[in-house]
Amino acid sequence: MTRTKFIAAALLTVSLAVPTATAVAADAVAKGAHAWSPADGGDSGKIAVKDNSSDGDPVKAEYYRVDSSETKRTLWNHSGPGTTVYSGDGSRIHKFKACDENYGSPDDCSGWVIP
């Protein structure tokens, strides 16, 4: 009986410690901006940002990668309402937020999201 419990505990530990192959996207929404990661087929090294407003202002996603955790990066979408842009691939996105640019006023941003 002891051996059975040990094997069961070992299997449970391994199943919790090994990440799954399928990543679930995390979302950040702010006024007219929507950002998510993993993006583009579930790639945890990519982020996307969509412009959901018609105010004429661009939207952006600000994000950090695991391999360069001190460097804030910005993915801009200047393409207009209803469009989505994707970042290039890299190390896993550590945290991100979505922002609607407001020229001359503070940006409307979501809180930081950890995927």
Side-chain angles (χ1 to χ4, degrees):
M1 186 67 129
T2 303
R3 182 175 178 185
T4 305
K5 287 182 182 178
F6 175 78
I7 292 171
L11 289 174
L12 178 61
T13 301
V14 168
S15 68
L16 293 174
V18 176
T20 61
T22 308
V24 176
D27 292 291
V29 178
K31 197 176 176 187
H34 176 206
W36 63 93
S37 182
D40 198 22
D43 188 335
S44 65
K46 290 186 177 184
I47 187 167
V49 63
K50 181 176 182 179
D51 189 342
N52 286 329
S53 72
S54 56
D55 62 5
D57 295 335
V59 296
K60 63 184 176 181
E62 295 181 341
Y63 63 101
Y64 291 87
R65 293 188 180 277
V66 170
D67 287 353
S68 54
S69 60
E70 300 298 318
T71 304
K72 181 172 73 172
R73 300 170 188 273
T74 304
L75 174 64
W76 285 97
N77 182 344
H78 291 281
S79 301
T83 62
T84 302
V85 297
Y86 297 88
S87 72
D89 200 4
S91 68
R92 186 176 61 82
I93 305 296
H94 178 264
K95 67 179 180 178
F96 66 94
K97 67 180 177 178
C99 297
D100 187 19
E101 177 75 16
N102 293 319
Y103 297 114
S105 299
D107 296 344
D108 294 315
C109 294
S110 68
W112 289 100
V113 174
I114 298 173

